[in-house]
Amino acid sequence: MTEEVKISGRRQRRLEKEQDQTAEPKKTYWVQIRMFPIWLRILLCIILFAAAAAAGLMVGYGVLGDGKPTDALKWETYQHILDIKDGK
């Protein structure tokens, strides 16, 4: 009478993995090619963030406030705010 040796699932997977490694290596038929390089993705995110911030300033200043939307992008507007803050 032969006794079956009980092998844990982890050990069985390791044995199967070792057998797969000793077998012929598999060929890779498909390789992922990035359409946009990483540096371009980062640059695009920065540009989109700046555009969203500018659009938010214009909506907040022009629509919610009573000013012209293009005034939100002028330095004089922020200089005036800084002068009020500093008490000038």
Side-chain angles (χ1 to χ4, degrees):
M1 182 193 291
T2 61
E3 293 183 18
E4 292 184 17
V5 178
K6 291 187 177 182
I7 299 176
S8 67
R10 182 179 293 179
R11 183 173 177 151
Q12 185 176 359
R13 284 191 299 271
R14 187 170 21 124
L15 290 173
E16 289 173 0
K17 192 174 188 180
E18 288 174 2
Q19 289 174 356
D20 288 344
Q21 288 177 354
T22 58
E24 184 177 321
K26 297 179 181 179
K27 294 181 181 180
T28 304
Y29 293 104
W30 182 78
V31 177
Q32 180 180 1
I33 299 174
R34 290 190 176 111
M35 290 182 68
F36 301 108
I38 298 296
W39 63 268
L40 186 60
R41 292 180 189 184
I42 293 171
L43 184 65
L44 185 65
C45 286
I46 291 170
I47 290 171
L48 288 176
F49 178 76
L57 283 172
M58 292 176 73
V59 167
Y61 193 79
V63 176
L64 299 177
D66 291 331
K68 294 180 185 175
T70 55
D71 288 344
L73 302 178
K74 293 182 180 176
W75 172 248
E76 292 83 22
T77 304
Y78 296 99
Q79 186 64 45
H80 179 70
I81 292 171
L82 292 175
D83 289 343
I84 292 172
K85 179 188 74 91
D86 292 338
K88 294 182 182 178

